[in-house]
Amino acid sequence: MAFNSLPFIFLFLPLVMAGWRLVKPRRAALVFMMGASYTFYAFAAGWLSLLMLVSTTVDYTVGVLLDREERPARRKLILLLSLAFNLGLLSFFKYYGFFIETVNDVAGHPVLANTLHIILPAGISFYTFQSMGYSIDVYRKHLAPSRSFIEFAAFVSLFPQLIAGPIVRPGFLLPQLHDSRPIDNSRVTNGMMLFTCGLLKKVMVADRLAFYADPILSAPRRFGSVDLWLSMVAFSLQIYFDFSGYTDMARGLGRMLGLELTVNFDSPYHADSPSDFWKRWHISLSSWLRDYLYIPLGGNRKGKARTDLNLMITMLLGGLWHGAGWNFIIWGGFHGLLLLVFHRIETPWRRLPLPVRHAVMSILILFTWVPFRMHTFADLGTFVQHASFRPDPPTAPRELWGYCVLGIALCALPKNSNKIDWNLSWRTTIAFALLAVVAILHLNLSSKFIYFAF
Amino acid sequence: MPPQSPLETKKLIVFAALVTGLLGVILAANVAVRGRTSGYAEGAGTPRRAGLERLNANPDKCAMTADPAPDNERPMRHVNAGLIDKVDVLVLGQSDADHMSRDFFRDDVHFYNGFISNSYFVYHYELYLDLVEAHGVPPLVLYDVGSGYIHSESEEPEWDTPAKSPLWWGFPPFHLGKAQPLPWYKDIPSLLSLAQSQLTLTWLEHQLPQSRAAHGTGGEGALQSDNGELYRCVDLHKPSMMNRWMADGSRIYREERDAVFAPTGPVSIEKARGDRKINPTRLRGLDFSLGQIVAKGSKVIVYSPPVHPQVFDEPKQVGIVARSGAAVREVAEKYGLDYCDLTTEAASLGCGPRDFYDELHLSRHCNQMIVKRLASGCAPRAGAALRAVLKPAVLE
């Protein structure tokens, strides 16, 4: 039951909104929200939703223990246990198969047997980072631990942001859950518009792009350079509209429930440098990695070489976070390399005219999506070979060109969905309602959100 | 409760009411129209269905113009399954079976050629299921598996898992391999789809008197001018610039007249030689399709039709074709089925150069020679069943 499904829009959402409004005692409302969120999650993860309950229990207990313990060594030990548990869980479910495969590939013959056919629970990377962030914040005394298990469980499992983020900081969301904030209708309308905007991004742009580009990118050996690069442009637009569409829907849902969620995208294709890109793309993950990995590693405080190393470690792990595959590590490494080079040429780079910086960045970002999309070395090699050396006449359907132009035009708009005032005029409200109907009529061709796989 | 802005509350109500109201109207219209036009979602009055109705009403006069492509042929077969009579002998396979004809069979035998050009095996099973649903299990299936198909690079989709190909997704209800109509309340996503709504609009448009006159179905005097449009009912005995389908499901090529065509020119060895590895997904597709059809109770004869002898000017083709034949035979044997490999048998069948439209596509005469061979010992298990339904002249 994803956001882009009829049961969610017409059954689950109205029921949850009604329940959240009608159940008055705060504790009961949180129990209701937790129940709704676990129900939502169970549709995606089945019995593996119990894992989230285990993870929540561990981190809640860690918070309580850290609050009671003042001795630094003991506090550190408690935190390390929490990190070991969370990262162990994530590694087992996400990277076990990858590890076995890599060992066997390196050995050249099967050394380890992959006897456990592990299913990756949806959203595990997101909720693990969210609850791990809580333990670290409590350890650092940046945050008072939650006094209520229900409140904490509602925070970890909150359905709008559960499966694909944004990764919300506990200090941002827990107080909102703690304080009983009344919901006013202007926020609900506002949230509905933002949700509709996200739905349109997903269904009318991302899914349409994927529909025409996927057959080409799934069989790169059959196509020439124009088709392949056009499809890669389509993918770079698809992933943006898919993920930012999901985020808009999540934030819109939050507003309908009277909650504010973190901004996750800020026109990333307007970036004029690699570091600017990471301030605009998947902001909740990049800021998480900065605060909980890059800075603890030493950040830029330990000399140039160490800064480079820290940056590269952060980007490689950021890549690996996306998925258990070498292509994601290459993608992270590629971005790490761009950041390292940029730090060395920042001053002359800034002297270049803005359109030149934008153009160069757009091309570089397009290149980085190649390893992200081509999942195997064989496909990656074929793509690079054909995209570079096979100038066949284009065969891609005209629709693909059209949707790419539409996507680029939408990306070029000066205001993104975070900056639009969603308290719309009557005319725009009615136009949005009609667009929502069109999007819903396309739902049966809508596919899963890309970031559900991470 | 906080003080609510009356304006914002109004907007909220209007937005929600507009969305749910409009969708409710669309859903109600789609349900109503779907109910009136049978379980097959392509309703009366759509050009394809109207064309097929005319074709079936005029089997001796009419050939229907259509595009030879799976994204047309697949829905065309799907719609036609509900329009034709029961099927006694069914041909499944790709386009090299397109000249298998009802002329080979006794007059009381209901024959249907269900070939689909450039298709996956799951498409064949999809059509088979449509026919089973509409008329019961066809007693005899002739399954054409050309040697090249097993070598095709394109990955065969799984029955229950859509491939990343718009062809396999199709539009509702032609997606996910589920061709059977669902009860409307289980089919909300497709009933609230753009495609379904477009079909409803087309149907409603058809109700207008002038449109009904333009699209009229069936009846005497249904022949239409051959003006290059799709789904026209054109004279069966005249050449045309378009491919045409006959009521028995077989095809007539452009310019072909009364089963005589002019070969297209040099034989393309690349297409026919199968100079590739055997594609395991294709074999799995064949295995799945055969397994399902046998389980439903049809007798099946699997055969590989001859390819143009010139293909074997490339010496390595002999080995490649033999490996393909062995792989198909293994799958057929798994289900206890006959497999008749005629890939290299053009000469012994009596199929000469004029019987090959190109390297793969065969004349009606050559197809007649194939059924004769299948009924004459090449298919020891089900050959007798085929012999029993053929015209005596075919066996002479």
Side-chain angles (χ1 to χ4, degrees):
Chain A
M1 188 173 52
F3 296 167
N4 56 337
S5 69
L6 291 171
F8 179 85
I9 295 171
F10 290 106
L11 196 65
F12 184 84
L13 181 59
L15 284 177
V16 172
M17 281 179 68
W20 183 241
R21 276 196 165 204
L22 294 175
V23 180
K24 290 292 175 201
R26 198 60 186 163
R27 193 177 160 76
L30 288 172
V31 170
F32 171 80
M33 183 54 74
M34 184 186 150
S37 296
Y38 270 87
T39 306
F40 173 82
Y41 190 48
F43 277 100
W47 69 270
L48 288 170
S49 47
L50 291 176
L51 268 183
M52 184 166 67
L53 190 61
V54 175
S55 180
T56 305
T57 310
V58 168
D59 282 301
Y60 176 74
T61 312
V62 162
V64 171
L65 291 176
L66 284 171
D67 192 40
R68 286 182 193 160
E69 186 58 66
E70 283 302 325
R71 288 166 290 184
R74 285 279 178 93
R75 285 177 62 80
K76 196 172 233 174
L77 181 66
I78 293 167
L79 177 69
L80 285 175
L81 286 174
S82 161
L83 296 183
F85 171 78
N86 281 305
L87 293 175
L89 200 68
L90 188 60
S91 305
F92 178 72
F93 279 95
K94 195 160 178 173
Y95 303 111
Y96 172 82
F98 176 58
F99 172 74
I100 303 265
E101 214 173 272
T102 305
V103 169
N104 290 342
D105 282 350
V106 170
H109 60 277
V111 179
L112 301 170
N114 191 354
T115 49
L116 303 171
H117 297 287
I118 296 165
I119 300 162
L120 178 68
I124 190 170
S125 309
F126 289 91
Y127 75 71
T128 305
F129 268 38
Q130 192 154 309
S131 63
M132 212 158 66
Y134 167 81
S135 295
I136 298 170
D137 281 356
V138 173
Y139 169 78
R140 290 173 175 173
K141 299 193 174 173
H142 292 172
L143 179 76
S146 178
R147 300 283 169 207
S148 155
F149 176 77
I150 297 296
E151 187 179 280
F152 181 68
F155 155 72
V156 175
S157 65
L158 192 69
F159 75 89
Q161 45 86 60
L162 174 59
I163 293 182
I167 304 167
V168 187
R169 298 296 179 87
F172 185 72
L173 187 55
L174 274 171
Q176 296 186 58
L177 290 169
H178 185 74
D179 303 333
S180 178
R181 280 198 208 168
I183 304 166
D184 72 86
N185 286 340
S186 67
R187 279 179 66 79
V188 176
T189 318
N190 196 296
M192 271 191 187
M193 299 304 158
L194 189 52
F195 181 86
T196 306
C197 174
L199 188 67
L200 288 167
K201 279 183 178 178
K202 165 69 179 160
V203 177
M204 302 306 296
V205 186
D207 286 335
R208 302 291 83 209
L209 284 161
F211 187 79
Y212 294 108
D214 269 357
I216 296 173
L217 293 174
S218 302
R221 66 184 178 281
R222 288 197 226 145
F223 297 93
S225 49
V226 178
D227 286 338
L228 288 174
W229 281 119
L230 177 70
S231 303
M232 196 48 76
V233 168
F235 176 72
S236 69
L237 295 165
Q238 181 207 343
I239 194 167
Y240 169 61
F241 285 105
D242 191 282
F243 196 15
S244 76
Y246 180 89
T247 307
D248 286 347
M249 291 166 93
R251 297 184 69 229
L253 289 169
R255 281 188 196 168
M256 287 186 226
L257 300 169
L259 303 166
E260 199 59 42
L261 301 181
T262 319
V263 170
N264 217 11
F265 290 90
D266 185 15
S267 304
Y269 294 143
H270 287 196
D272 68 348
S273 70
S275 60
D276 189 27
F277 178 77
W278 284 103
K279 286 174 192 150
R280 293 167 177 269
W281 178 270
H282 203 174
I283 299 166
S284 65
L285 175 69
S286 53
S287 62
W288 196 101
L289 290 170
R290 180 196 64 208
D291 294 346
Y292 298 112
L293 182 62
Y294 175 69
I295 292 174
L297 283 172
N300 58 2
R301 305 184 305 276
K302 296 190 174 176
K304 224 167 191 175
R306 185 63 192 272
T307 303
D308 289 351
L309 181 66
N310 293 341
L311 201 57
M312 197 45 113
I313 290 171
T314 305
M315 295 315 292
L316 287 171
L317 289 176
L320 191 61
W321 176 90
H322 281 80
W326 284 103
N327 64 313
F328 294 115
I329 297 174
I330 294 171
W331 176 74
F334 200 160
H335 272 286
L337 204 63
L338 286 181
L339 286 166
L340 296 190
V341 172
F342 171 70
H343 286 169
R344 276 163 180 71
I345 61 162
E346 189 168 359
T347 313
W349 174 264
R350 294 272 173 230
R351 285 195 209 111
L352 292 171
L354 190 63
V356 174
R357 279 182 275 150
H358 277 156
V360 174
M361 266 313 291
S362 300
I363 292 167
L364 289 174
I365 294 299
L366 179 66
F367 286 162
T368 65
W369 288 124
V370 175
F372 194 95
R373 177 61 180 81
M374 310 315 289
H375 292 176
T376 64
F377 282 121
D379 277 351
L380 182 58
T382 309
F383 182 94
V384 171
Q385 195 187 355
H386 283 219
S388 312
F389 306 111
R390 217 176 101 172
D392 293 0
T395 60
R398 272 176 303 175
E399 288 86 346
L400 184 57
W401 292 90
Y403 277 107
C404 283
V405 170
L406 172 70
I408 291 168
L410 290 173
C411 283
L413 291 175
K415 274 189 181 180
N416 59 43
S417 51
N418 305 319
K419 291 175 181 160
I420 292 173
D421 175 9
W422 289 105
N423 293 312
L424 302 173
S425 67
W426 270 109
R427 197 177 288 178
T428 323
T429 303
I430 290 168
F432 245 65
L434 297 178
L435 285 172
V437 169
V438 174
I440 288 167
L441 288 176
H442 278 86
L443 278 188
N444 65 316
L445 289 177
S446 192
S447 55
K448 236 167 71 167
F449 288 95
I450 295 175
Y451 266 67
F452 274 24
F454 306 146
Chain B
M1 288 283 284
Q4 304 286 357
S5 149
L7 184 66
E8 289 306 319
T9 307
K10 261 190 207 167
K11 271 189 202 165
L12 179 61
I13 292 168
V14 167
F15 181 84
L18 210 53
V19 171
T20 48
L22 270 175
L23 288 172
V25 169
I26 290 167
L27 178 63
N30 286 345
V31 169
V33 169
R34 195 181 175 85
R36 266 185 265 180
T37 56
S38 89
Y40 293 97
E42 188 153 288
T46 57
R48 184 156 41 207
R49 188 181 179 107
L52 288 165
E53 283 172 350
R54 274 193 296 272
L55 177 65
N56 288 307
N58 300 278
D60 299 320
K61 283 184 180 175
C62 186
M64 187 185 74
T65 58
D67 264 346
D71 50 353
N72 165 58
E73 290 178 45
R74 198 170 148 230
M76 185 171 83
R77 297 291 183 193
H78 178 70
V79 174
N80 205 25
L83 301 176
I84 60 172
D85 281 337
K86 68 161 185 160
V87 177
D88 299 319
V89 180
L90 171 66
V91 170
L92 292 176
Q94 305 220 11
S95 58
D96 50 5
D98 58 8
H99 275 58
M100 276 284 181
S101 166
R102 70 171 177 177
D103 290 357
F104 311 153
F105 296 86
R106 287 191 340 238
D107 291 342
D108 59 330
V109 172
H110 294 268
F111 168 85
Y112 186 62
N113 186 340
F115 84 90
I116 300 176
S117 309
N118 194 22
S119 51
Y120 297 117
F121 289 109
V122 285
Y123 289 4
H124 309 151
Y125 177 55
E126 184 181 56
L127 168 62
Y128 177 85
L129 265 190
D130 282 340
L131 291 168
V132 169
E133 179 73 12
H135 312 291
V137 173
L140 181 61
V141 173
L142 306 181
Y143 210 137
D144 160 55
V145 184
S147 60
Y149 311 149
I150 300 298
H151 295 113
S152 170
E153 278 184 352
S154 61
E155 301 249 310
E156 174 86 11
E158 300 282 334
W159 174 249
D160 289 322
T161 313
K164 286 191 170 182
S165 154
L167 290 184
W168 183 233
W169 289 357
F171 52 85
F174 310 114
H175 65 297
L176 299 177
K178 290 170 189 157
Q180 298 312 308
L182 296 164
W184 72 266
Y185 53 86
K186 286 189 180 172
D187 200 19
I188 298 286
S190 110
L191 285 173
L192 269 183
S193 72
L194 199 60
Q196 180 63 45
S197 302
Q198 280 168 343
L199 287 175
T200 300
L201 285 175
T202 312
W203 186 85
L204 292 172
E205 188 244 354
H206 176 68
Q207 301 311 301
L208 299 170
Q210 66 273 27
S211 173
R212 217 169 26 238
H215 291 301
T217 60
E220 286 297 309
L223 283 186
Q224 297 169 309
S225 62
D226 186 2
N227 60 1
E229 278 183 27
L230 296 174
Y231 314 119
R232 307 289 285 180
C233 173
V234 299
D235 193 327
L236 185 62
H237 302 292
K238 285 185 179 170
S240 165
M241 285 309 292
M242 297 187 74
N243 279 267
R244 289 145 291 152
W245 267 253
M246 294 205 286
D248 67 354
S250 64
R251 174 165 60 160
I252 310 173
Y253 300 139
R254 284 188 275 186
E255 307 283 5
E256 181 179 347
R257 187 172 183 173
D258 291 331
V260 178
F261 53 66
T264 52
V267 168
S268 163
I269 293 179
E270 166 55 26
K271 269 194 198 168
R273 69 185 181 179
D275 189 10
R276 303 172 184 128
K277 288 180 183 169
I278 287 176
N279 182 336
T281 69
R282 286 259 159 165
L283 271 185
R284 274 202 300 275
L286 174 65
D287 190 324
F288 168 81
S289 190
L290 283 180
Q292 297 293 321
I293 291 170
V294 168
K296 292 267 187 309
S298 294
K299 283 185 179 171
V300 183
I301 299 174
V302 184
Y303 72 98
S304 297
V307 296
H308 199 296
Q310 218 175 314
V311 165
F312 300 103
D313 289 353
E314 167 67 54
K316 64 183 175 183
Q317 293 312 314
V318 181
I320 289 168
V321 161
R323 281 195 292 280
S324 163
V328 176
R329 185 179 301 284
E330 195 178 326
V331 178
E333 286 294 340
K334 180 178 166 185
Y335 296 105
L337 301 177
D338 295 316
Y339 172 58
C340 199
D341 187 357
L342 305 172
T343 313
T344 58
E345 298 294 325
S348 75
L349 284 167
C351 302
R354 299 204 65 77
D355 285 313
F356 283 93
Y357 185 68
D358 51 26
E359 63 283 350
L360 295 174
H361 296 90
L362 306 165
S363 68
R364 198 180 296 175
H365 165 258
C366 190
N367 274 283
Q368 185 175 328
M369 295 299 108
I370 292 173
V371 288
K372 182 181 176 185
R373 178 71 66 88
L374 296 180
S376 311
C378 193
R381 296 173 178 110
L386 175 60
R387 205 159 41 244
V389 291
L390 286 173
K391 283 179 177 166
V394 171
L395 294 165
E396 284 168 7

